[in-house]
Each structure stands twice: as structure tokens, then as C-alpha cells.
Amino acid sequence: MKPSEEFLEQGISQQNFKRVSCTTVVSLAYQSLGVVYGDLSTSPLYVYKTAFSGKLSLHENDEEIYGVLSFIFWTFTLIALLKYVFVVMSADDNGEGGTFALYSLLCRHARLSTLPNQQATDEKLSSYATDGSADTWQSSGLKALFEKQQRFRNMLLIFVLLGTSMAIGDGVLTPTISVLSAVSGVQVKIRELHENYVVLISCVILVGLFSLQHHGTHRVAFIFAPIVTTWLLCISSIGIYNIFQWNPHIFNALSPVYMLKFFRSTGIDGWISLGGVVLSITGVETMFADLGHFSSLSIKVAFTFLVYPCLILAYMGEAAFLTKHHEDIQRSFYKAIPEAVFWPVFIVATFAAIVGSQAVISATFSIISQCCALNCFPSVKIIHTSSKIYGQIYIPEVNWMLMCLCLAVTIGLRDTNMIGHAYGLAVTTVMLVTTCLMGQVMITVWKQRIFIVVAFFLFFGSVELLYISACIYKIPEGGWIPLVLSFIFMAVMYIWNYGTMKKHDFDMENKVSMDRIVALGPSLGMVRVPGIGLVYTNLATGVPAIFGHFVTNLPAFHQVLVFVCIKSVQVPHVSENERLLISRVGLKEYGMFRCIVRYGYKDLQQENYDFENTLVSAIVQFVETEGEDESSREAGDMDIEVLHAPEHPVQNSNCNEKLKQSSYGTQVTKSGIRHPENFMLKDESLEILKAKESGVAYIIGHSYAKAKKSSTILKKFAINVVYAFLSKNFREPEVGLNVPHASLLEVGMIYYV
């Protein structure tokens, strides 16, 4: 296997690339073309067409064309090259990028996280490392503001959700505008082809694209990079041809003076046209979001030495063509293609549009998965489409939802100009969210001086606000689409997060007192039957209310009792060696343990994960090593749970091997656990293994939220209607945990918020 392929399959992090050869960087840069730059590279299909739509089409003289090209060049240079390549991509979170990566950095350094069950032991994770440099007065002031004011933390979360919902909207608009723009080029050669047929062909391609998602991209991903590379070389070559063929002086348009002349001659119409110009940088956010699959250096190399010059040449060539063909403004891209190579370029354009759409669809799956991990989206089925390449997933519910929305937009609007107006608003909003988060990262994480942060925010923020204002003007002409989509997604995310947090608050307020458990004695006041009982709970400490509710109605429980808490940590990945955190609940005679299973926001729970055997092996290892270091024992929160040993991570991968080494002989049972033929293990360990063979039962609480009678009408609608609907129609907890139905016990409870 090539080194670059090995890095790709393992999941790329910045640490992997501290010492790599130039060959590896170039190879990864080439591979990134197909994954990262498909969306950005297809922008020339519709930029000039959208920019010169509306009243600006009345000003089609050379000065306006020069002005639009000047705006494209400087926007591409300042936003894509300067902001993202040289600044934003340096703010990675253990090699991961995107909106959630910036939010995660802020949460760890300023304690802004709204995730429940955060513990001091989480800060000992290897990926949790924070900069140990001293705080400046700016960083300490910002931290204090957020730490003291809960409403500011909630506002920040809503702001992040806004950017996330707009990014999901990109997953609807990118396939629509890319495919429709590519297919519409056929009308240049077949003039009698009705628009309905163009829409029909686009819909067929979209249906086919979404229908193939469940197969995964790894089967055809190897051709993505050649397609995008061929596309970039084609449009740059055509651009060079058009420059020398039609207007060699088009290079003068790179002067920013033409931007001023553009505004002076076009006025408000020129300002409105900026909503089309901003489409030239659609996809720049993908560069940052895909850091987890490639290295920062490889993405920068690909953009700086190939993508950037090729796209600039393409835009310049198209502008040179337009200076001599004003009448072809709405078909400028395909009209500018020389007759001899039209059909080959049309075919490559169609494939490039599909590749660009695929990249955005895959990114949407990843965003939804991260939202689920952060309690901001209902549980959905996540399928791994590749056993080798990390992070390739498929979400059926989201896939079909995106397909229906894409078809609705394609059939409903039928016009790439209107779709472009919607697309521009979504793109600029995501970029503004990134700018604001970057400003906070520069203060809190990088400890930059305030004037540098203000300069960064004012410069890039003002440019992006200029483009947003132009896009807002186009709300009646298609710009309303991302607003409606983002409102729906934000409402779902916020209501789900609100309901989930209220459920956690209810569990915290109603957990069973540890004093009560201790007073019951080792038998807990009930019959202890053979076997292991796994009680799934949202609490990382204490005894959940569902356990008390269960034993009240059925006063019998298993010999070994394990409280299992699956939680997310504000890091991208948690290594397998640090995933399980085992501790003892109560005294040794009680036979009660707690297992906290930790996942990062980009980790995915494997449905074929052999959790039972892994958990039992981890508990046995904990029992065997318990007491080896008396000095390291901690009392913990004695009012919550009594610990005989401190919580500590268990080396999962070596559990069974250590069990083997602790005995002279081993035997394999039908339970899959290797245990000794002699008594080298402690008696308690043998009892646990024996209990495992008697069977494992899963106890999961089904909580139903109800709004209090005194609640407002809005809150009653959000909880009793929206949250209840989401809870009933999305994945149930036992499905997400892959619990066998024969071993499942459900405990129902109602809580009021």
C-alpha cells in the first residue's frame, strides 16, 4: 500500500504529517482534488450568468465585464487564498476542520460546552491537550464572560447551529445548481431542446446520484481526482485560448481600480450583482472541513499551485470572450468553448458537476453525524460504506430527504439564476460564521493581540457582509430558500438539544440517593439473580431514576450490575485505548460498576462492535488491577457514589490478552470470553465471567417529555408536538445501541419540563 493511501485509510491528522516526504504531500494533494475541490471547480458554470442576471444585463459593456472580473479575482484571492488557506486552515482541532472544530476548540479552552456529563477525567484524554500559555487580559475577559453568562453560551450554540444549518442547505443547493448548469449547456448545440427536457435530464441524474449513495464513494473515488484534474486543465486551457483569441488586454481587469469604476457606472445594480460574484468561492469552506481526510499542507499545495491559477485563467478567458460577445452573456461558459472540443468538455463538465455534488452530499452526512454526537439532532442510522477508508458514511434518512429537496428545487425554480441567489446567501452566511468563530479562536486559543483580531474581523467581516447584503436583496428571487431550510433545521436542532438537556436535568434531579443504596445492604433489598444487568443511563455519576423505578415494580436484579453511560466529549476522536472508563459504585460486595463510553464528535459507533465481551473484559481487568496502587485512589464525590478505586481508562485492545497472561491455561466459551482453567484470577473476576455466561440483560429507559401546564403555547408546541414527533419517528435508543431484542427490558417514565 502506498504511504498516502495508508494515511487516508487511517484518517489523517496533523500529527501524521510532521514527517512526510514531498512525494506523499504531492500524492495527497492530487487525491484531494476529487474530494475537496469538486464544488469550487465547477463554479465557472454559473458565476457570470448569475452576476449578469436582472438589471445589470442592461450594462453589458467592457467596463462592467472588467469590473465583475476584478471582483471575482480579488474575492477569490482575499477570501479563498488569504483567509482560508493562510489563516483559517491553521485553526485545526487535532487535524480536523470545519465549524464544529472551531466550536470544539473554544469549548475546551473557554469551557463553553453545553454537553452534559463533562468530567475532569475527560481533560486527561490525549486529544484534549490545550495550549498551556498564560492568558492575556483579552482571553481571560472573554472566557469569564462566557463562563458566567449561560445565555451567551446558548447564543454561541445557536450561532454555530445557524452556520451548520446553512451548510446543510448547501447539500441541497450544490447538486441542484451544478447538475442543472452542466446539463443546460446542451441547449447551446440543440437549440430546439425544450427547457422541460433539461429539467427532466437533471432530475434523472440527481435521482441516480442519490440512489447510488448506499454503495459508498470508495468504489469510484479513484476516478474523482482524474475527473477534476481534467476539468481544471480543460477550463484553464480554454481560458488561455480565449484570452489570446479575443482580448489579450483582459489582464488589466486585475487592477482594483475597475471595482470602483464598476460601482460608479452601475450603482445599486452593481451592488446587487455581487450575489452572483460570491458564487466564485463556493466550496472554500470544504477545504477547511476536509482537513480530517488530508493534511493541511497537501490541501494548500493543491489549491495554490493548481486550483487557484486554473480557475483564475478560466474566469479571465470567459471575460475576454464576453468583451466581444455581449449577446451571449446567459450562455457565456459554453459559448466560449471552441467548436472542436465542445462535446468532450460538455461530458467532462457533467462528470465534474456530479463529483462536486458527491463531495457536498458526503459532507452533509458528516455534519449530521456530528450534530447527533453533540445532541443537536435526533438519532439516525449511520452506515459505514467502507471498511478501509475512514469517515465514509451513509445516512439513509438524510439521503432521501436531500434527494426530495433537490428535486423540489430543480422542478420548482427551473432557473439557475434563482438557485444561484439562494446558493449565495447560504455560502456567505457560513463564511461569516467562520469569521466570527475565528475571531474568538484568535483571542482565546492563539492569545493574539486585540488589534490583530479586530483588523481580521473588520476586514474579512466587512467584505462578507457586503456580499450578504447583496444576497439578502435577492430573497424574493430565490434567496428565501436557504432561509426556510435553515429555519427548519435550526428549529429541529435547537428543540432536540433543548429537550435532551431538560431530560438530563430531570435525571440529575431525580437520581437515587447513594445513601439509600448503601442503606439497603449488599443485596440492595431485592433478589439478586444470576447474570449481568446493563442499565443504560444519561448520567455519568449517581444511580439513575429508572433503576429505582424498575426495582420498585420488580424487586429483583442481576448479580452484577453495570451502569453504562455513552457520552460525547468535546474532541474530534477518542482513541480505543481511552474509550472505556470503569469505576466501582458502592462497596465491593454490592457488585455494581459504572462504565462510561466516550466518543469524540467525529467518532462513529460501530454497529458490529462486540460491546458485551469488551465490557466484561474491561471490568475483569479493572478488578484484577484494583488496589495495585493504593496511593492513587481517590475518594471521589462521596455523596454521589462510593469508589473503591478511581475511574481510569481501560486498555480495550489488550483486555483478553491480559486475561490469558494471568492464567496458565485458557479455554474459549460460547460467550467469547477466554477465562482460566485454574484460579489465578480473583474470585470476583471469576464470578463476573460466570455471570456473563448466565446471560446479559439490557435495561433502557423510555422517557416521554411533557410540557408543564403553566408553559407557554410555544413551549407546549415545541415539546408536546415537535420533540415528541422526533422522539417517536427517529431511531429508538436500543436500535442505535444495537441491543438484541431478546435481552431488552424497557422502563417507561414521564418527565415534565
Side-chain angles (χ1 to χ4, degrees), residues 514-561:
M514 199 63 212
D515 293 336
R516 178 185 170 189
I517 296 294
V518 173
L520 294 175
S523 65
L524 301 181
M526 56 186 174
V527 178
R528 303 295 290 268
V529 298
I532 297 177
L534 304 183
V535 181
Y536 282 86
T537 172
N538 295 319
L539 303 179
T541 58
V543 178
I546 61 169
F547 177 70
H549 189 63
F550 178 85
V551 297
T552 300
N553 294 275
L554 184 64
F557 214 82
H558 299 83
Q559 176 186 358
V560 178
L561 178 61

Side-chain angles (χ1 to χ4, degrees), residues 222-442:
F222 67 94
I223 65 171
F224 283 3
I227 289 175
V228 175
T229 304
T230 303
W231 167 251
L232 289 172
L233 294 177
C234 282
I235 60 177
S236 60
S237 300
I238 293 172
I240 295 173
Y241 168 82
N242 285 325
I243 290 171
F244 289 100
Q245 177 70 20
W246 303 111
N247 190 350
H249 301 291
I250 197 66
F251 288 96
N252 296 332
L254 302 184
S255 171
V257 174
Y258 283 95
M259 292 191 290
L260 300 177
K261 293 182 178 180
F262 175 77
F263 275 137
R264 186 175 57 191
S265 63
T266 60
I268 190 172
D269 294 335
W271 165 65
I272 295 173
S273 71
L274 295 181
V277 172
V278 77
L279 297 180
S280 62
I281 53 174
T282 58
V284 292
E285 193 73 27
T286 310
M287 289 193 300
F288 182 42
D290 282 324
L291 278 180
H293 296 289
F294 303 95
S295 69
S296 174
L297 179 59
S298 63
I299 293 178
K300 290 179 179 179
V301 167
F303 180 83
T304 306
F305 294 101
L306 182 63
V307 178
Y308 178 80
C310 286
L311 288 178
I312 293 298
L313 287 172
Y315 287 121
M316 291 177 63
E318 192 172 346
F321 174 83
L322 284 174
T323 59
K324 307 300 181 183
H325 303 84
H326 294 173
E327 70 282 358
D328 292 329
I329 189 65
Q330 288 301 304
R331 297 274 183 234
S332 60
F333 178 81
Y334 282 107
K335 285 284 189 178
I337 300 175
E339 185 75 21
V341 296
F342 177 86
W343 288 112
V345 173
F346 172 77
I347 294 173
V348 175
T350 304
F351 279 111
I354 293 174
V355 171
S357 302
Q358 175 61 59
V360 175
I361 293 170
S362 299
T364 305
F365 292 158
S366 179
I367 290 173
I368 295 294
S369 174
Q370 294 173 35
C371 289
C372 293
L374 296 177
N375 294 331
C376 293
F377 202 83
S379 298
V380 291
K381 184 177 183 180
I382 300 176
I383 300 173
H384 301 260
T385 58
S386 174
S387 59
K388 295 182 178 180
I389 301 179
Y390 175 83
Q392 290 197 358
I393 59 175
Y394 167 66
I395 305 177
E397 299 96 324
V398 176
N399 181 68
W400 302 124
M401 176 192 69
L402 290 178
M403 187 189 76
C404 292
L405 290 174
C406 284
L407 293 177
V409 172
T410 303
I411 298 172
L413 296 185
R414 312 166 69 90
D415 181 10
T416 54
N417 288 334
M418 293 186 67
I419 299 174
H421 300 153
Y423 196 17
L425 183 58
V427 169
T428 51
T429 303
V430 175
M431 290 192 296
L432 183 62
V433 170
T434 299
T435 299
C436 294
L437 292 177
M438 271 301 304
Q440 296 183 60
V441 168
M442 293 173 74

Side-chain angles (χ1 to χ4, degrees), residues 54-348:
K55 295 182 180 179
L56 189 62
S57 59
L58 302 177
H59 301 279
E60 294 173 16
N61 56 45
D62 288 355
E63 192 167 274
E64 277 68 38
I65 294 173
Y66 273 49
V68 169
L69 175 59
S70 184
F71 264 104
I72 291 174
F73 172 77
W74 286 106
T75 301
F76 209 74
T77 301
L78 295 177
I79 301 297
L81 186 63
L82 182 59
K83 175 190 168 182
Y84 277 90
V85 171
F86 290 111
V87 180
V88 174
M89 290 184 68
S90 300
D92 65 279
D93 182 17
N94 291 287
E96 299 292 341
T99 303
F100 277 114
L102 295 178
Y103 181 62
S104 175
L105 280 175
L106 291 173
C107 287
R108 294 209 305 275
H109 286 79
R111 302 187 184 278
L112 307 179
S113 178
T114 59
L115 286 174
N117 297 319
Q118 300 304 296
Q119 300 171 291
T121 52
D122 298 335
E123 300 181 10
K124 299 178 182 178
L125 291 168
S126 57
S127 56
Y128 203 98
T130 57
D131 185 9
S133 59
D135 284 336
T136 61
W137 68 267
Q138 299 98 328
S139 61
S140 60
L142 187 62
K143 289 180 181 180
L145 177 66
F146 280 103
E147 289 177 3
K148 294 179 181 178
Q149 301 293 333
Q150 176 67 35
R151 66 176 182 273
F152 286 139
R153 295 200 295 271
N154 292 336
M155 289 172 60
L156 179 63
L157 175 63
I158 293 174
F159 191 63
V160 171
L161 293 181
L162 171 63
T164 303
S165 60
M166 284 293 186
I168 296 174
D170 284 351
V172 176
L173 299 172
T174 298
T176 303
I177 192 172
S178 298
V179 173
L180 189 59
S181 297
V183 174
S184 62
V186 75
Q187 290 181 307
V188 173
K189 293 299 181 182
I190 309 177
R191 300 179 185 274
E192 63 276 10
L193 186 66
H194 196 273
E195 183 185 58
N196 291 341
Y197 291 103
V198 175
V199 173
L200 178 62
I201 296 172
S202 300
C203 289
V204 170
I205 293 176
L206 289 172
V207 171
L209 177 63
F210 283 101
S211 299
L212 295 175
Q213 290 299 311
H214 68 281
H215 292 295
T217 60
H218 63 285
R219 300 180 188 277
V220 292
F222 67 94
I223 65 171
F224 283 3
I227 289 175
V228 175
T229 304
T230 303
W231 167 251
L232 289 172
L233 294 177
C234 282
I235 60 177
S236 60
S237 300
I238 293 172
I240 295 173
Y241 168 82
N242 285 325
I243 290 171
F244 289 100
Q245 177 70 20
W246 303 111
N247 190 350
H249 301 291
I250 197 66
F251 288 96
N252 296 332
L254 302 184
S255 171
V257 174
Y258 283 95
M259 292 191 290
L260 300 177
K261 293 182 178 180
F262 175 77
F263 275 137
R264 186 175 57 191
S265 63
T266 60
I268 190 172
D269 294 335
W271 165 65
I272 295 173
S273 71
L274 295 181
V277 172
V278 77
L279 297 180
S280 62
I281 53 174
T282 58
V284 292
E285 193 73 27
T286 310
M287 289 193 300
F288 182 42
D290 282 324
L291 278 180
H293 296 289
F294 303 95
S295 69
S296 174
L297 179 59
S298 63
I299 293 178
K300 290 179 179 179
V301 167
F303 180 83
T304 306
F305 294 101
L306 182 63
V307 178
Y308 178 80
C310 286
L311 288 178
I312 293 298
L313 287 172
Y315 287 121
M316 291 177 63
E318 192 172 346
F321 174 83
L322 284 174
T323 59
K324 307 300 181 183
H325 303 84
H326 294 173
E327 70 282 358
D328 292 329
I329 189 65
Q330 288 301 304
R331 297 274 183 234
S332 60
F333 178 81
Y334 282 107
K335 285 284 189 178
I337 300 175
E339 185 75 21
V341 296
F342 177 86
W343 288 112
V345 173
F346 172 77
I347 294 173
V348 175

